Amino acid sequence: MARKKTALVCGAGGFIGGHLVKRLKAEGYWVRGVDIKRHEFAPTAADDFVKGDLREQSVCRRITRDIKFDELYQLAADMGGAGYIFTGEHDANVMHNSATINLNMLEQARLTGIGKVFYSSSACIYPEEAQTTTRNAGLKEAAAYPAHPDSEYGWEKLFSERLYHAYMRNYGMEVHVARFHNIFGPEGTWEGGREKAPAAMCRKVAETPEGASIEIWGDGKQTRTFLYVDECLEGVLRMMRSKCPGPLNIGSDELISINDLARMVMKIAGKKLAIKHIPGPLGVRGRCSDNTLIKKELGWRPTTRLVDGMTVTYRWIAEQVAKRRKCACACGGR
Ligand code: NAD
């Protein structure tokens, strides 16, 4: 019988990592997941789950000591939506924590001879100047330089992209780097300050009674693209099975304003709500993935419609809101 392929997923207690573990299991892998916390919304599908802090070299050694992994997926990062990344309050932590994780894990992958390494970078590496209008024509991978990301989160990702590619050049490692553009779906953070726009919008609409209003940061005309998590994973696995080291965009090119995203969620929910614009952290004015390169390199690009992914996501978040309400009632507001 053929030996099962083995994968180490760092960040397995998080949103994309949790989904990735499920997908790898469905494809027949033996999977070890690692995270500083357990997954909040679903039991892990991993064969083995290690709760550990990847900033500690001893943890990175421990998780790679007993098995020679075929594949490493490094998704662990100190991360969140605009309310976490763009306030400036978390900059030092974001840079220190994520860079330390990447330095530790990549070195450990080299020392233990892990066959292939995937690293999740972000659309946040693109220069602020290329994203000043709502009608963003699409960010090509080469537009990353001259570099000027609008957040320290983006600078750390850019540094780490370069780190992974330096290991590839100097140590002959097989490395694949993708830049994710706003990934969303069920089983992701939906409250607490680290949630991103699609989840925040679903929560607000689910929580708000008919006829009342929801709040949106800025004028709501800022534009983004959002990619459903299953499509993201399809891109990751196709990239890992290709010769392409990247960086490659993994994102949608279906551009939408935040106001229209809110209207889309209202329509899915069958609710009419007013929109109240308030000051808040915004990020760039417009951001869109250019998918020419991924199509060329992988012969594939994401095609799921935003409304289809948002429908699944809204249903899941509405269930979480209902559960929380039920729990608050049962606890008598305690
Ligand atoms: P997430 O926050 O749900 O997952 C990241 C996980 O890393 C969390 O579970 C967290 O506990 C873990 N982690 C943080 N510090 C750790 C530490 N010291 N030791 C061990 N684990 C630690 O985020 P996600 O949305 O699943 O993102 C996964 C990856 O994709 C991240 O690298 C992120 O930067 C990147 N990315 C995500 C998006 C997106 O839209 N979700 C966009 C661009 C890039």
Side-chain angles (χ1 to χ4, degrees):
M1 206 175 72
R3 187 182 73 87
K4 274 192 179 186
K5 273 199 189 165
T6 53
L8 178 61
V9 177
C10 297
F15 165 52
I16 304 173
H19 283 279
L20 177 62
V21 170
K22 282 190 212 168
R23 173 76 191 258
L24 291 170
K25 282 303 302 166
E27 300 217 353
Y29 281 70
W30 187 93
V31 182
R32 171 171 291 158
V34 189
D35 204 296
I36 201 166
K37 64 164 179 65
R38 291 199 167 271
H39 202 290
E40 280 167 73
F41 309 112
T44 183
D47 296 278
D48 182 36
F49 186 91
V50 178
K51 196 164 162 244
D53 186 340
L54 294 165
R55 289 170 300 183
E56 303 287 338
Q57 287 180 357
S58 58
V59 171
C60 299
R61 276 197 295 273
R62 180 155 60 88
I63 59 174
T64 49
R65 200 166 38 201
D66 54 339
I67 293 167
K68 191 168 183 323
F69 284 99
D70 296 311
E71 298 176 7
L72 163 67
Y73 295 83
Q74 202 318 77
L75 278 75
D78 190 356
M79 116 97 164
Y84 187 73
I85 297 295
F86 294 116
T87 59
E89 287 164 35
H90 310 287
D91 287 351
N93 275 343
V94 165
M95 297 186 91
H96 174 270
N97 294 342
S98 297
T100 307
I101 294 169
N102 285 314
L103 287 161
N104 286 348
M105 269 320 299
L106 186 53
E107 177 63 3
Q108 200 54 33
R110 176 183 82 82
L111 291 172
T112 57
I114 293 183
K116 296 181 186 192
V117 177
F118 175 84
Y119 172 60
S120 55
S121 180
S122 166
C124 290
I125 62 95
Y126 287 110
E128 205 170 353
E129 296 74 21
Q131 305 171 83
T132 51
T133 65
T134 55
R135 285 209 206 152
N136 191 298
L139 294 157
K140 287 192 189 297
E141 286 77 353
Y145 297 98
H148 189 209
D150 69 329
S151 67
E152 301 302 356
Y153 168 78
W155 279 108
E156 188 283 326
K157 286 287 187 195
L158 203 54
F159 160 75
S160 289
E161 281 190 2
R162 301 189 69 94
L163 178 72
Y164 280 79
H165 280 152
Y167 267 63
M168 177 180 76
R169 290 193 307 275
N170 292 167
Y171 298 122
M173 291 172 70
E174 184 175 332
V175 164
H176 303 272
V177 174
R179 295 174 181 158
F180 293 168
H181 290 240
N182 293 318
I183 314 302
F184 73 97
E187 298 179 4
T189 304
W190 58 279
E191 62 175 349
R194 284 189 187 235
E195 68 278 17
K196 302 184 136 200
M201 212 59 76
C202 291
R203 187 198 69 239
K204 289 176 190 182
V205 170
E207 283 174 345
T208 308
E210 183 76 34
S213 62
I214 57 167
E215 292 180 340
I216 286 185
W217 289 336
D219 63 8
K221 291 181 186 158
Q222 61 273 30
T223 54
R224 294 290 184 277
T225 63
F226 301 98
L227 184 69
Y228 190 59
V229 62
D230 288 359
E231 289 266 86
C232 169
L233 298 184
E234 186 63 35
V236 170
L237 295 191
R238 281 176 185 259
M239 192 181 189
M240 277 294 259
R241 288 157 195 176
S242 78
K243 295 260 172 279
C244 179
L248 267 193
N249 288 332
I250 297 189
S252 159
D253 51 12
E254 187 183 340
L255 196 68
I256 188 167
S257 73
I258 300 300
N259 286 333
D260 284 344
L261 182 69
R263 289 184 197 109
M264 179 185 278
V265 178
M266 288 178 211
K267 202 165 166 200
I268 292 167
K271 275 188 185 178
K272 277 220 167 68
L273 307 171
I275 295 176
K276 188 175 163 204
H277 294 109
I278 59 162
L282 292 176
V284 294
R285 194 66 176 148
R287 171 177 292 157
C288 182
S289 176
D290 182 294
N291 289 344
T292 315
L293 192 59
I294 190 169
K295 183 79 175 99
K296 179 169 169 263
E297 293 287 342
L298 308 184
W300 173 91
R301 65 182 180 80
T303 48
T304 299
R305 291 180 325 150
L306 178 60
V307 67
D308 296 334
M310 286 303 289
T311 303
V312 181
T313 308
Y314 177 78
R315 286 198 192 121
W316 182 80
I317 291 180
E319 268 175 36
Q320 309 308 305
V321 169
K323 270 190 215 161
R324 192 187 54 190
R325 212 172 267 151
K326 214 167 145 190
C327 173
C329 290
C331 301
R334 270 175 292 136

